[in-house]
Amino acid sequence: MELNDGNLQTLTEYLRKTLNPDPTVRRPAEKFLESVEGNQNYPLLLLTLLEKSQDNVIRVCAAVTFKNYIKRNWRIVEDEPNKISDADRTAIKANIINLMLSSPEQIQKQLSDAISIIGREDFPQKWPDLLTEMVTRFRSGDFHIINGVLRTAHSLFKRYRHEFKSNELWTEIKLVLDTFALPLTELFKATIDLCQTHANDVSALKVLFSSLTLISKLFYSLNFQDLPEFFEDNMETWMTNFHGLLTLDNKLLQTDDEEEAGLLELLKSQICDNAALYAQKYDEEFQPYLPRFVTAIWGLLVSTGQEVKYDLLVSNAIQFLASVCERPHYKHLFEDQNTLTSICEKVIVPNMEFRSADEEAFEDNSEEYIRRDLEGSDIDTRRRAACDLVRGLCKFFEGPVTAIFSGYVNSMLTEYAKNPGQNWKHKDAAIYLVTSLASKAQTQKHGITQANELVNLTEFFVNHILPDLKSSNVNEFPVLKADAIKYVMIFRSQLPKEQLLQAVPLLITHLQAESTVEHTYAAHALERLFTMRGPNNATLITSAEMAPFTEQLLTNLFKALSLPGSAENEYIMKAIMRSFSLLQEAIVPYIPSLIGQLTHKLLLVSKNPSKPHFNHYLFESLCLSVRITCKANPATVSSFEEALFPVFTEILQNDVQEFLPYVFQVMSLLLEIHSNSIPASYMALFPHLLQPILWERTGNIPPLVRLLQAYLEKGGAAIATSAADKIPGLLGVFQKLIASKANDHQGFYLLNSIIENMPPESITQYRRQIFILLFQRLQNSKTTKFIKSFLVFVNLYCAKYGAIALQEIFDSIQTKMFGMVLEKIIIPEVQKVSGAVEKKICAVGIIKILTECPAMMDTEYTKLWTPLLQALIGLFELPEDDSIPDDEHFIDIEDAPGYQTAFSQLAFAGRKEHDPIGDAVGNPKILLAQSLHKLSTACPGRVPSMLSTSLNADALKFLQGYLQAANVQLV
């Protein structure tokens, strides 16, 4: 694509169409842009538009499109084409910083993100001058430019907060510190001075304070991994100024907005974070500064109001106190009973109150409320921070803290009892206090795993939780009902089983509550209870114990999906999946009516998939319905196909990318249930499954391979007769997969199924070419994973077609090739094969080579006979060799570029492990003994003499054991 006005005009028109709400206009435009993004100059056209277009909407749209393009294509993935030409890469890196710094803020943010994506891949090796180019801009004095640099640096360095330690990381951080730490410190001091100069200029202060917040964030990232020498030497400068900023109160920066945090709050929140980091990780060096920070932060907490805009500041300030109070050598700061009472009274209790803002969120923004309260993303909420502080204090002062709070809890519950309608918030706070006091350790899987002995959880459950659950009106006091349900959920491992069983029917009733939070919590609590394990690893609650409630449970769960706000509620769908899994055949009578509801739901969500977890559990529930029903009666598979195929056809025709991997898995499950034939409806689809476009997407590969394997297993012969023209297409898929280090094992799965299930004559003409492709790959890039798969395939081929066929095909490709493969690959590498079935295949193949291949006895291959036998005995007796060569950084399949639909394995669509050798060979060691006996009777004297001359003593001892076990002798 040339950089000319015509192309810029075309691109502008298509970008405008991508903003059109009408999908018939929008989708074709998106598809067009996708089709041209591989062309050279495409990214440069976008950059030209975002710089020069007269239309602001187009500029922003070009910036977002450019960022997403970089996100999708910048990373170079091994074995995959490089999507951006080298010339474009160089041009982008040469221009993007200037462009970012001269653009308005909306565009600057997008380009800043793009720079950090490029930096993640290319900095420092392929973009060495990035930092120097950025640092020189600090001198410009223009804070629009400086903030652009700081924002980019922040998005570039924030990954240091969660990267694992490695030499590579240290080297990079050192390089950054050498270039960046001093200019950043100078900028910090200069900015603080400017704040004093412009103390009365509100617009200047806004810019300066946003700079200070970014500088503080950078400080956090650069100090996270370890305390750099530079910052240790300059701690006085940083900490004195941080302390000054914490105590600063500039009236001009105070905002009227009660919701949105202002610049002052954001800066102070970040400084609390920085102080907490130093108190936790570098307490020795930080000790001289700690008392003044404790005083300043305590002062902040006592004087800050309850408005939402202060939430981040208050929670970070409390987190600071929490991180300090659990360190042994700061214990003395908190020992005094008055200090503890004061903290409890002035910081913890007020921040546990259920505010009107929380009530609004509970009613009107339930999704966000649930995300914060249930999934622990409420890291920056006051309640979570207060809860952490209680936990921190309990580490050293469990007795006194529990005593102080018990008083509060009792007085709150008394207040509630006086007038429940008026005072229900008191009970809410009491439940929250008990929860935070009682919980010492918590996991997602088991809820609270360690509790405070001083709190009687069972008594509190009976007296204060159960009455709310039993209340006849599920819609009265929804917040307290949600609290009660949450209590059962988080203390499920601490409460006795009879109380959990008492709670189950009550929770089922709460699924009908109008409040989204309440019925969601009920679904989540049931799902968690159903996963609990009892003795001998069975589920704690059994299907039999659920029998009286089964119908009500299924009815209420499905009804809950039609309540307002819960049409795609992932917790309800997960509870449906878990209920099916627990109840097993008890659901069979209900499936005919439920499957219709599930497929209808699938049809609706496939129009616009937006909730990945909901969709995943929906497909899991479909798989369970199929599995459980067809286990009882395999003939019912056709009724599932009738229900599902129309929806699947629509999904395939509309190319709903997110759903294709799921559809292929469910189809595999259905096809595997059929007895040995492929129904016509599947045969009609077969050619479409070989279309190259489907195989371009990494997420499709595992489920498609499995589906093709199901086709081959159920009807290899049918494919050979009625779809013989498709065999080259099938082998084309194998060829594509084998070329990729990430997917070569999938290529072997397919190849093994072809060898095992296709009639031999149907693939005779292709066999030699298959081996040539494998040898080419061995020559070009030999990885451990490839060799393991190659060994299994070669031995499966030998087990299927015989050792003579294997030797002849190798030697027809190149003379003496058979000996080379034995000597260079099979003998030295077979110890690496893992997995019982894989080892069995290799054993059977090698036994055939040893005992059914005349060339092994009478040619130059004979010298390999004993080493091969020795390798086989090693496979039986030695531990698996799981070493991987140093130079082989294994490519993880998940490393595929992030935007692609990743493959999500459906747990309940799992494939049973398949053994191609089957019962024909029970114990390969006995087979070896019997086969050697047979060989020795055919050529007497040869086998014992070969053994006695060159087999090592240990191996010989094992071999004699096999011969005895098989009750045979060598002659």
Side-chain angles (χ1 to χ4, degrees), residues 570 573-574 577 613-622:
E570 65 188 68
M573 192 45 84
K574 193 176 188 183
M577 169 191 87
H613 290 101
F614 177 86
N615 300 335
H616 187 91
Y617 300 133
L618 171 57
F619 276 103
E620 291 282 21
S621 303
L622 287 169

Side-chain angles (χ1 to χ4, degrees), residues 152-169:
T152 306
H154 171 54
S155 55
L156 205 54
F157 304 152
K158 70 177 174 210
R159 69 187 178 88
Y160 300 156
R161 302 174 181 196
H162 42 74
E163 291 265 325
F164 287 119
K165 290 178 163 49
S166 68
N167 284 339
E168 210 177 332
L169 182 68

Side-chain angles (χ1 to χ4, degrees), residues 132-180:
T132 34
E133 201 177 331
M134 281 164 56
V135 167
T136 51
R137 309 305 167 99
F138 284 166
R139 300 191 201 114
S140 67
D142 176 344
F143 271 84
H144 173 70
I145 289 178
I146 289 171
N147 280 356
V149 172
L150 291 172
R151 203 174 289 117
T152 306
H154 171 54
S155 55
L156 205 54
F157 304 152
K158 70 177 174 210
R159 69 187 178 88
Y160 300 156
R161 302 174 181 196
H162 42 74
E163 291 265 325
F164 287 119
K165 290 178 163 49
S166 68
N167 284 339
E168 210 177 332
L169 182 68
W170 289 123
T171 315
E172 183 180 322
I173 293 177
K174 185 179 179 321
L175 181 103
V176 169
L177 289 166
D178 291 346
T179 319
F180 209 78

Side-chain angles (χ1 to χ4, degrees), residues 705 709 712 730-731 734 737-738 744-758 763 766-767 770-771 774 789-790 793-794 796-797:
V705 166
Q709 283 183 287
L712 290 162
L730 202 54
L731 292 167
F734 150 74
L737 295 175
I738 219 78
D744 49 17
H745 60 294
Q746 296 284 350
F748 276 111
Y749 293 161
L750 186 58
L751 183 57
N752 293 346
S753 287
I754 291 172
I755 293 296
E756 194 190 333
N757 298 298
M758 296 283 282
I763 54 168
Y766 307 111
R767 279 189 223 166
I770 289 171
F771 278 103
L774 294 176
S789 302
F790 177 76
F793 164 67
V794 166
L796 179 68
Y797 187 95

